[in-house]
Amino acid sequence: MKNLITNYIVNYVREYEKRDDISTTWRKPLVGFADANHKDILNIRQATFEEHLMPSDVLENPTIIIAYFVPFTKDIADSNIEGEYASEKWELAYEETNEMFPKLNDYIIEKIEDMGYKAAVCKVAGDFDNAILKSKWSHRHMARVAGLGTFGINNMLITEEGCCGRYFSIVTNLPVSPDEPLKEENCLYKKKKSCGVCVKQCFSGALSFDNYDRFKCYEVCCTNKDNYEKLYGNKKHEKGKPKGGSEVCGKCVVNLPCSFKRP
């Protein structure tokens, strides 16, 4: 059943990128299955904040959280290396990935329901408290418990396919065996105090070797959105879709040893 769900996700992404109105292509998604009652999830409020929702707030009697990572291609990441603001291609990939997620999730939920089980997504995962800049549902923390990777000092999850990409998670009551969180660190700095390239590439100063200032990070992302039209103009991409600015940066995940693979 785990292989079936994984194949559903992988094949959906492959078919979705063939659409006439999509410019982005992605690398093969990674899929993990977290125990909804794992101690790290039951104690997730200690790792995030006190208002983080629990799996049982999303679905009654959950057993598994399906976490998946959709990695960006190298050309998308390379386009975002230069300059202080997110590249046009990086922004578009960010937007098109976010637009794909609801459709992909609906598809997976339908497949699970066809099997006779239930599934749901956290409807407020995209919202966050402006006072603290934290969401009530962290896809990345769910992905870590699902064994997809470990956190780097850039606050991103480093998987076997790197850290350039986007995450999502689905809560379900499927009767499958969970994956275990990774025990060994993937971040070179956390592992042996080497690398730290992500800190050097952070224009805002939000990253340091012992701290992450989410307010400085968010300020840069907002500035990127405000400057989008000035940088790229009010134009359309090659398939005719209007472009618009997003609160995104991504400089701390490109051109790193961990951008496309686990170091």
Side-chain angles (χ1 to χ4, degrees):
M1 192 177 290
K2 289 168 68 173
N3 287 338
L4 186 61
I5 297 296
T6 298
N7 288 335
Y8 282 148
I9 293 173
V10 170
N11 292 335
Y12 187 95
V13 173
R14 285 290 165 263
E15 290 301 314
Y16 188 86
E17 66 187 14
K18 296 176 183 178
R19 288 173 41 154
D20 291 339
D21 59 341
I22 295 298
S23 291
T24 303
T25 57
W26 296 271
R27 290 182 291 137
K28 183 178 179 180
L30 297 178
V31 184
F33 298 79
D35 182 351
N37 296 301
H38 191 280
K39 62 180 179 63
D40 288 352
I41 290 182
L42 297 180
N43 296 322
I44 197 168
R45 288 170 178 163
Q46 297 175 17
T48 55
F49 79 123
E50 63 275 7
E51 294 185 19
H52 193 288
L53 298 179
M54 304 304 292
S56 57
D57 294 319
V58 179
L59 184 75
E60 185 178 2
N61 298 321
T63 57
I64 289 291
I65 300 167
I66 303 168
Y68 62 91
F69 174 57
V70 182
F72 290 165
T73 54
K74 191 173 186 301
D75 64 306
I76 293 172
D78 286 350
S79 75
N80 199 38
I81 294 174
E82 301 297 329
E84 294 188 15
Y85 299 105
S87 71
E88 189 176 13
K89 184 175 286 189
W90 183 271
E91 283 219 31
L92 183 60
Y94 177 88
E95 292 172 4
E96 291 191 334
T97 307
N98 286 352
E99 290 172 2
M100 175 179 66
F101 281 152
K103 303 177 184 70
L104 171 53
N105 293 332
D106 286 346
Y107 173 76
I108 298 302
I109 290 171
E110 182 181 351
K111 290 295 185 183
I112 290 173
E113 290 176 345
D114 287 344
M115 298 177 193
Y117 300 97
K118 296 180 180 179
V121 298
C122 179
K123 295 181 180 179
V124 297
D127 302 334
F128 57 85
D129 187 327
N130 283 307
I132 59 175
L133 299 181
K134 290 185 177 181
S135 169
K136 291 185 177 181
W137 185 267
S138 172
H139 297 301
R140 281 176 289 162
H141 279 81
M142 300 301 172
R144 187 197 69 79
V145 180
L148 290 188
T150 65
F151 282 101
I153 56 172
N154 60 358
N155 208 36
M156 297 294 120
L157 206 65
I158 302 172
T159 75
E160 65 182 45
E161 292 293 334
C163 59
C164 281
R166 303 284 291 154
Y167 293 88
F168 216 98
S169 53
I170 302 171
V171 182
T172 182
N173 63 352
L174 281 173
V176 299
S177 60
D179 299 315
E180 290 295 322
L182 300 182
K183 295 181 179 180
E184 184 179 351
E185 292 286 356
N186 287 340
C187 175
L188 290 175
Y189 187 81
K190 287 186 174 181
K191 187 185 298 186
K192 50 186 179 181
K193 300 297 181 183
S194 64
C195 192
V197 177
C198 58
V199 174
K200 300 172 185 176
Q201 291 184 178
C202 179
F203 291 100
S204 68
L207 281 182
S208 67
F209 290 103
D210 57 5
N211 186 49
Y212 167 62
D213 188 329
R214 65 185 65 252
F215 292 94
K216 285 184 178 179
C217 178
Y218 185 59
E219 183 179 356
V220 167
C221 292
C222 289
T223 302
N224 177 83
K225 181 176 181 179
D226 293 340
N227 280 274
Y228 185 87
E229 186 171 341
K230 181 173 67 176
L231 290 168
Y232 304 117
N234 185 20
K235 57 183 180 179
K236 299 180 179 181
H237 68 62
E238 61 185 17
K239 295 189 177 180
K241 182 178 179 180
K243 291 185 174 121
S246 296
E247 294 170 354
V248 64
C249 176
K251 300 298 180 179
C252 66
V253 296
V254 298
N255 206 27
L256 309 178
C258 61
S259 291
F260 299 106
K261 63 179 181 179
R262 179 173 50 211

